[in-house]
Structures are given as structure tokens and as C-alpha cells.
Amino acid sequence: MTLYGIGGIPGCARGTAVIKPARTITVVRRSTEDPEAECARLSRAREAAVAHAEACYESALAEIGEDSAKIFRAYREILSDDAFFSVVEERVRAEGVCIDSVLEEEKQNIAAVFAQQDDPYLRERGTDIENVCNELLAALYGGEEPFTLPEGDSLVVFADDLTPTDTLKLDKARLAGFVTERGGATSHTAILAKTLGIPAILGLEGVLGQVSGGETALLYGEEGRLILSPDGEALAQFRADRERHARRGARLAAAALAPALAPDGRTVHICSNLGEADSAQAFDGAICDGVGLLRTEFLYMRCEHYPTEEEQFSFYRDMALATGEKALIIRTLDIGGDKQAPYMDLPCEDNPFLGCRAIRLCLERRDVFQTQLRAILRATPFGNVKIMFPMIVTLEELLEAKAVLAQAMDELEAEGTPFRREVEVGIMVETPAAAVLSDVLARHADFFSIGANDLIQYTTATDRMNQRLQYLYTSSNLSVLRLIRVVCKNAHAAGIPVGICGEAACEIPLLPLWLAFGVDELSMAPSQIGLVKHHIAALSGEDLRRAAEALDGAGVIADLRAVLAPLSEKGL
Ligand code: PEP
Ligand code: MG
């Protein structure tokens, strides 16, 4: 029997099915003569749960690191949220009923609100609150037996849901994988499983009705595919798939963890491009040196109104907490072109990519820009936040944007709101105008990040969305590459770092050129990091010299490709 879930943690697993029993607590609504004693029970349970969350944090920190351990800090924050628990206590006093029934009801109310959210990140936060309430209820009932694995090795656990606490406590040496009916790819259990390298399938509704326990289960995490009681053919196929998967995965995963060293021994920062609602969860500090591009426009695009300062602040702060000491480059709003938010009511333009987009729009709509800058500045004390302006063409624009930023800083200072004034401010170099003026711009920016996607479009005068012109829209365009070389030279002459954050950053054939230009940072989709690091490790100094010479000598792109192609096959 083959079943599919909505998401999975990559990896193949084969094991014996084990079913985690459902929660045994049944909450009964009882009246009470002494509401204060009920409230005191809750306070004691909260105190004990805070201590437990802290202990889980410490053990997770030692076992799997800060990124995954911080879910227990989040639990502690929920437990310390007086606003939620005072509603529960007020109801106990007003209705004269026991604390557990009110807590159960309020838990269900809040779960229903979060379950309706479109944003998967918010839905998962609802699950966190549910988990915390369930742990409190278990404590109020004198504690539930924790789930432990039965005898045997290679076990696949089937559960309605697994909390991060459950997952942390399971004996990983005997756990081959797990399957849950609830939860999605952004749940903290999923994040923990990813960190621990446990293959899993989440959101496989109805699976508990199909599995009886004791049968063999084959789990393909990446596809979210489960096979129960496989026949001989499925078993043979599984063995072959697992070997292939293991070989490639091990190579790339090991490569992703290592620093990227250029042949001269210099470390090239490899960063992640993020921006979706689940970015704080998606960030994996073990494989990268930070976030090189946080696209903030997705936040504006998934809202039905301008995101408020508070909404933005909480997104940026969560990101800053997730990235910690590693750099978090927050790009200010880059809307317009192919990215629209209906409530902004942007006028129709004949050439939107040449129109009022990105920094142009922000300088026109100062209130929108100010709100965003205030929110970003407020996030600066929580991590290593940097600010980046997109689509800069002239120095005037950069100076104006910095003036608006200075004004936002003055406002926050006057209000006594904390922020870091010395926050680094950089620009995207994604117009030929900025590339040509990069020697001047470099004196006014703390860093450059080359937006190759737009730089190709504007240099080659090719709409990046136009399928017919894709033969012109190429990162191997010689003029684009020469411009990138100039930008790197000018950045370094001014003593500032330069990165590439467009898709070309992870184009394998171009890596020898990026290293030859001395690029300090490459930022890309996290899924590409292992592959890029793997290829960087295979390059020699001689390869870089040959690539740079080929660019000098090439008149047509084919001349350059003839030299780059064999280099990209090295290490395969
Ligand atoms: C770019 O232009 O290269 C870039 C990273 O920005 P976006 O793709 O968001 O325009
Ligand atoms: Mg761009």
C-alpha cells in the first residue's frame, strides 16, 4: 500500500511500524468552590514547565545546537505570556470551574484561530501553543507517561503528532523515521528531524487508520511517500534508491558543512537567499554564513494591507534571532516590475521594469519606507542585521535613502526605542549605471551585493520575463561579466566587501570567475549550497587563471564557455 503526505524530511528509511498511543487525558468540566486554589495550580504547573523547557533547551543545545534548541526557548516565552494565561484565570474566577477545563477550551479557541491562517509559519506557531498547553494539562493531571520506543531496532514511529519534546527524547539510534498525521514542513518537529537527519513524512492524514503496528514500512522522505508491507520488488527498489540517495546526499551534505575555501585559502562566505514566511525556520546556520538577501517584498505580497511596523518588526526580529551572530542582510522593499501588491494601487506603466520600482517607489512613498526602516532598525539589537537598498542608479538616490534612514534613527532615539545606529548599510548593484559608478558608490556604502538577475536584464536590454529573448538573457553575457569584474575591483579598492546574490551566484560554470574576481560572498537558495561548496573545493588556482584569461580573450560567449565547461565537470 502506498500513501503520500504533504511534506517530508529528506532521506529513505526502512523499519518496523510502531504506533504512538494517543493522549490519554480526558478533561472534564468540574465546578470549584476555590478558584484561587485552581489558579495557584496553574502557576505551579507553569513554573515547573518553564524549568522543564529550560532543561530541554540545555540538553538540545548540547546535542544538536542552538538552531534547533531554540524551540524550547519559544516554549518558555509562551509559558511566560501572562496575557494568555490571565484570560484563563479570569474565566476560572468568573465561571467557578476547574482550571484544566478552561485551559483546554482556551487552547482549542486559540488553535482554531491559528489553524485558519494562510501563513504556514503562523499555523505552526498555533501548534507550539497547543503543545505547551498539552504539557501543562499533563502536569495538572499528575503527568502523563512519556512515550518511549519499544524493544527493537530500526523503528518507524506513527503518531497523530510528535512534539519537539517527544522527538528529542526518542532514542535516535533505534529510530529509523517517523510519520505523523498532523504538522507540516515548517513545524518545529520537522525542523528538529531535519537537524537530526531523521527521515519523516508529515501531514499524512488518516495513516493511523491504515497501519496496524509490526509491519514493515518504507519511507521516502523527500517525496513524502510511504509504502506499508512492501512486496519483494518494492524492497529491491528501495535498497537501490537508498544507496544512490545516500551516496549523493553524503557528498553534498558534507560539502555543505565545510567552509568554502578558494584555492588561495581565502574563505568565501556562502549565504542563503530567503524571504518566505517560514524563513526563520528555513535558515540553517550549519551550512551557511548568514542570509545574504532577505527579500522583504514577499511579506508585503502575502498581506492584504500594508504590513504594520509591528508585523514587520516581528518578522525581522525572528529572522535576526534565527541568524544570531551571522549576517542578516535585509533588503528594503523591492516592489514593482513583476512583483505587485494590489493594495498599493501602483499606477499601470508601459515598462514596469523601467518604472517606479524598488528604491524609486520607496523614495516616493516616504511613509511606507519610514515604516519599514523603523521596523528593521528595531530588529538590529537582536542579531547582526544589515540594511540593503535595491535598484540604486545614482549617488543622489543612495544619499537620499540614507537621509530617510537617519531620520528614522532620530525618531527612534527621541522615543527611547533601542536600535543599533552603527548598522551597516549597503546597496545592490543591479543596474549598469551603479556598476559604472561603483567606484564612487563604494565610498558611501558599507558593502555591495550584485543583483545579477537585474544586472543581466538591464545590461542586455532584455526583459527577464520574456521567454523569446532568453538567448540574450544569460549570466554568461560577456558585458555582464566584465561589469561584475569592475564592481568587484572598485569595491575592493574602496575596502568594502562584495557579494553576488542573483541566481548566477550558484551557476556552477561561473564559479571560477567569481573566485578569480575575489568575490567575498555568494548568496543563493539553501538547496544549492552543498553543490556550490562541493564544486568550489574542486577548483585550483590554475583553473581561476584560465577562466579569467578566457574572459579577457573571448569575443563570443562560446569562447568563454569552451573553457568554463570542463572546469565545471571537475569533482563530479
Ligand atoms: C537580482 O536582481 O539579482 C536580485 C537578487 O533581486 P531580485 O531577483 O529580487 O530582483
Ligand atoms: Mg533585482
Side-chain angles (χ1 to χ4, degrees):
M1 183 194 307
T2 304
L3 303 163
Y4 288 88
I6 57 168
I9 305 302
C12 304
R14 174 191 168 160
T16 309
V18 169
I19 300 174
K20 175 181 179 277
R23 207 160 63 95
T24 50
I25 295 169
T26 317
V27 177
V28 184
R29 189 175 164 93
R30 288 175 288 112
S31 52
T32 177
E33 294 295 312
D34 190 355
E36 288 313 322
E38 289 295 303
C39 294
R41 279 178 70 212
L42 178 63
S43 299
R44 284 196 297 277
R46 278 173 72 190
E47 271 167 33
V50 166
H52 183 234
E54 200 49 42
C56 285
Y57 172 80
E58 294 300 336
S59 86
L61 188 66
E63 212 181 314
I64 44 182
E66 171 70 27
D67 273 356
S68 296
K70 63 180 186 272
I71 174 60
F72 299 106
R73 280 270 152 90
Y75 279 9
R76 201 186 58 183
E77 263 174 44
I78 296 170
L79 285 160
S80 314
D81 181 359
D82 289 330
F84 173 70
F85 291 106
S86 61
V87 171
V88 177
E89 291 178 356
E90 284 316 309
R91 280 194 53 197
V92 167
R93 291 186 183 106
E95 296 168 30
V97 286
C98 64
I99 194 90
D100 22 291
S101 61
V102 179
L103 182 60
E104 174 69 24
E105 278 172 33
E106 286 300 322
K107 177 196 88 178
Q108 286 178 12
N109 291 345
I110 203 153
V113 172
F114 275 94
Q116 281 163 8
Q117 303 294 323
D118 290 334
D119 187 334
Y121 174 75
L122 286 179
R123 284 202 301 275
E124 298 302 350
R125 300 301 66 78
T127 311
D128 292 343
I129 298 175
E130 264 189 275
N131 287 340
V132 165
C133 290
N134 285 338
E135 287 191 21
L136 282 175
L137 285 164
L140 289 169
Y141 276 85
E144 218 184 358
E145 278 299 295
F147 171 62
T148 49
L149 292 176
E151 292 297 300
D153 289 325
S154 296
L155 303 174
V156 175
V157 170
F158 287 78
D160 174 41
D161 197 10
L162 278 178
T163 65
T165 317
D166 291 332
T167 315
L168 198 66
K169 285 186 177 156
L170 293 177
D171 177 356
K172 309 316 170 290
R174 298 189 298 126
L175 180 69
F178 65 82
V179 182
T180 61
E181 289 218 355
R182 298 204 292 151
T186 60
S187 68
H188 280 110
T189 300
I191 295 162
L192 265 177
K194 197 159 114 205
T195 314
L196 294 164
I198 303 170
I201 300 176
L202 301 123
L204 210 169
E205 246 176 81
V207 70
L208 291 175
Q210 309 284 346
V211 67
S212 10
E215 66 267 63
T216 296
L218 302 181
L219 197 151
Y220 289 90
E222 205 141 16
E223 307 153 47
R225 181 158 61 104
L226 171 75
I227 303 175
L228 288 173
S229 307
D231 59 16
E233 197 184 325
L235 282 170
Q237 182 61 50
F238 176 82
R239 276 193 290 274
D241 289 342
R242 183 156 69 177
E243 270 173 34
R244 207 179 38 248
H245 190 274
R247 274 198 305 273
R248 184 181 154 81
R251 246 187 11 207
L252 297 184
L257 291 172
L261 297 179
D264 62 1
R266 188 174 61 87
T267 302
V268 183
H269 280 174
I270 305 293
C271 292
S272 298
N273 287 352
L274 296 173
E276 305 293 342
D278 65 349
S279 292
Q281 279 61 48
F283 178 73
D284 182 355
I287 62 165
C288 70
D289 301 296
V291 174
L293 169 64
L294 184 74
R295 287 184 163 101
T296 59
E297 50 278 5
F298 295 143
L299 172 64
Y300 288 70
M301 288 157 77
R302 64 173 183 261
C303 281
E304 278 161 17
H305 55 84
Y306 286 100
T308 63
E309 184 178 316
E310 284 314 307
E311 283 167 336
Q312 295 193 53
F313 166 63
S314 93
F315 177 52
Y316 305 145
R317 182 205 48 206
D318 288 353
M319 282 305 306
L321 289 172
T323 47
E325 285 174 3
K326 298 191 172 188
L328 167 63
I329 301 183
I330 303 183
R331 178 174 76 179
T332 59
L333 182 58
D334 180 4
I335 214 132
D338 58 333
K339 292 177 275 195
Q340 297 287 333
Y343 57 85
M344 281 195 178
D345 221 5
L346 301 178
C348 246
E349 293 174 302
D350 288 340
N351 295 297
F353 275 114
L354 300 180
C356 192
R357 66 173 280 209
I359 197 70
R360 304 169 183 189
L361 185 75
C362 287
L363 292 175
E364 200 177 277
R365 303 229 179 142
R366 293 295 171 99
D367 50 335
V368 175
F369 196 26
Q370 273 278 348
T371 305
Q372 180 173 41
L373 292 174
R374 283 176 56 96
I376 299 175
L377 286 170
R378 285 174 55 197
T380 53
F382 295 91
N384 181 10
V385 173
K386 304 178 189 204
I387 298 175
M388 178 159 75
F389 299 127
M391 275 289 287
I392 293 290
V393 167
T394 62
L395 177 61
E396 289 85 335
E397 277 174 331
L398 172 57
L399 296 179
E400 210 176 324
K402 286 175 89 170
V404 182
L405 180 66
Q407 198 187 329
M409 287 180 173
D410 292 346
E411 258 180 41
L412 290 173
E413 196 165 73
E415 292 164 15
T417 308
F419 69 96
R420 280 198 312 112
R421 193 174 270 277
E422 61 285 4
V423 58
E424 286 185 29
V425 180
I427 62 166
M428 293 206 55
V429 178
E430 51 185 345
T431 62
V436 171
L437 198 68
S438 53
D439 55 333
V440 174
L441 294 169
R443 295 201 286 272
H444 300 269
D446 294 316
F447 62 90
F448 281 164
S449 184
I450 299 172
N453 304 339
D454 277 316
L455 190 60
I456 300 167
Q457 137 163 292
Y458 295 124
T459 306
T460 62
T462 309
D463 183 340
R464 65 196 251 191
M465 314 296 281
N466 189 333
Q467 277 305 318
R468 256 172 80 193
L469 297 175
Q470 288 307 297
Y471 71 97
L472 273 177
Y473 184 92
T474 167
S475 51
S476 302
N477 177 277
L478 302 178
S479 313
V480 172
L481 294 172
R482 284 169 177 236
L483 274 180
I484 292 178
R485 184 170 57 186
V486 167
V487 175
C488 293
K489 197 166 136 270
N490 286 336
H492 289 149
I496 64 166
V498 55
I500 300 178
C501 65
E503 295 310 303
C506 56
E507 276 186 45
I508 304 303
L510 298 176
L511 292 176
L513 281 177
W514 302 156
L515 299 192
F517 296 167
V519 162
D520 300 286
E521 178 178 302
L522 294 169
S523 194
M524 62 200 69
S527 58
Q528 302 303 305
I529 290 177
L531 193 64
V532 165
K533 288 186 175 178
H534 173 76
H535 279 274
I536 286 181
L539 292 170
S540 67
E542 177 56 22
D543 296 335
L544 307 200
R545 263 189 303 282
R546 288 183 55 208
E549 274 169 26
L551 177 61
D552 279 336
V556 293
I557 295 174
D559 293 343
L560 178 66
R561 286 198 174 134
V563 175
L564 297 182
L567 300 182
S568 70
E569 276 151 29
K570 285 184 70 173
L572 281 181

